[in-house]
Amino acid sequence: MITPNEIATLAEHLDGAQRDCADVLSLAETIDFDIDDAYAIQSALLARRVQRGERAIGLKLGFTSRAKMAQMGVTDVIVGRLTDAMRIADGGPVELSRFIHPKIEPEVAYRLCRDIDIDEQLVDIESCVDAMAPALEIIDSRFRDFRFTYTDVVADNTSAAAFVIGPWQPLRAVPNSAVRLIAGDAEVIGSTAAILGDPIRALHALLDMCRRRRIPLRAGQVILAGAATAAIPLTPGVAECEITGLGTVAVTAKGV
Ligand code: 0L1
Ligand code: MG
């Protein structure tokens, strides 16, 4: 357990890395902190953004594939925070200069239509969702070469940097839909089943995490369920994702 002062200092350090687009070394190499500390640093990071005028508008899950969990040696998903400043319009431009070493990954997004009492044990989270959409997440670890520990990445707001939501549509089952992401010369193909076996399970995992981490769930929040394929580098040009049965979503990366 680290002190409140250390939490504030580490949040300032990671916030500075993001704002200056300057990578930093793993925190875990120099300071011993646990997963509770990591979520406290993440909350302090969000508070800094909110103080600058950003609005918290959603949540994201990470480590939702078995391969990623195994790689990190964990059995839990991780949760991060999304703000309005991270949102890019579908098809719209994003300057690469605002990132350190961005990667892009295909996601499924859900939208909450009511506030959820996270202490209500019988809540049916699926009935609290009114829409879903194809989505893209841009991840940009603040750690050099994406080299981090489990606690590092949680503290670093799960590498969250930006996201794009495609056209919202009514909730439907997409347990095993084909996913194709093209960005520059790179192409990845996968399935929505890579997201916890079925992306709908991400909602239940999210509720569990929000209960454990005391994160509120509010009407209108956007939820990114997790990556359906490995992330690929975001290079200049259009990156487009198509999910069978859900449609397409795109972003146009500008600059070098
Ligand atoms: O959204 C994600 O699944 C990424 C979680 C953080 C891990 C990474 O930066 O690769
Ligand atoms: Mg993601």
Side-chain angles (χ1 to χ4, degrees):
M1 187 99 176
I2 57 176
T3 67
N5 269 352
E6 287 171 315
I7 286 167
T9 302
L10 293 173
E12 187 180 357
H13 181 60
L14 289 174
D15 196 33
Q18 181 251 316
R19 297 183 80 192
D20 299 343
C21 287
D23 60 15
V24 295
L25 297 177
S26 158
L27 306 179
E29 275 178 19
T30 52
I31 185 162
D32 192 19
F33 66 107
D34 64 20
I35 190 66
D36 294 334
D37 298 322
Y39 275 105
I41 296 166
Q42 183 189 114
S43 294
L45 265 180
L46 178 70
R48 292 179 69 89
R49 283 179 171 267
V50 168
Q51 205 163 23
R52 287 197 292 273
E54 294 181 35
R55 277 189 312 116
I57 60 166
L59 298 163
K60 58 160 281 191
L61 288 181
F63 296 176
T64 47
S65 76
R66 286 193 198 292
K68 192 76 185 188
M69 278 189 200
Q71 184 194 329
M72 296 305 292
V74 297
T75 52
D76 247 353
V77 299
I78 54 177
V79 62
R81 323 297 180 95
L82 304 174
T83 75
D84 58 342
M86 299 179 188
R87 186 159 182 176
I88 303 161
D90 187 12
V94 64
E95 286 294 334
L96 288 171
S97 60
R98 66 185 258 197
F99 306 116
I100 302 168
H101 43 196
K103 296 183 188 178
I104 190 160
E105 57 189 24
E107 301 247 354
V108 172
Y110 294 97
R111 186 175 66 198
L112 295 183
C113 56
R114 64 179 71 112
D115 293 353
I116 296 174
D117 177 355
I118 55 174
D119 294 317
E120 166 58 68
Q121 289 308 309
L122 297 179
V123 66
D124 171 11
I125 187 156
E126 291 179 38
S127 72
C128 300
V129 169
D130 70 345
M132 65 189 300
L136 289 164
E137 185 185 13
I138 298 173
I139 56 170
D140 191 36
S141 173
R142 270 51 69 168
F143 297 112
R144 188 161 304 165
D145 302 328
F146 273 80
R147 288 167 67 88
F148 46 69
T149 66
Y150 174 53
T151 49
D152 280 332
V153 70
V154 167
D156 184 30
N157 195 21
T158 68
S159 305
F163 65 98
V164 192
I165 306 291
W168 289 112
Q169 49 207 278
L171 201 57
R172 68 193 62 172
V174 287
N176 188 12
S177 290
V179 177
R180 183 166 177 244
L181 169 64
I182 299 179
D185 294 337
E187 176 179 1
V188 273
I189 289 173
S191 163
T192 53
I195 307 167
L196 294 174
D198 180 340
I200 201 77
R201 292 199 185 128
L203 295 173
H204 299 272
L206 176 80
L207 178 59
D208 179 52
M209 283 304 288
C210 288
R211 282 179 172 143
R212 287 156 59 194
R213 296 292 158 200
R214 309 309 300 166
I215 297 172
L217 288 169
R218 297 276 177 254
Q221 278 177 334
V222 171
I223 310 298
L224 292 184
T229 70
I232 55 177
L234 181 62
T235 51
V238 176
E240 186 176 78
C241 162
E242 180 177 8
I243 302 181
T244 301
L246 270 189
T248 62
V249 56
V251 65
T252 307
K254 307 261 189 200
V256 285

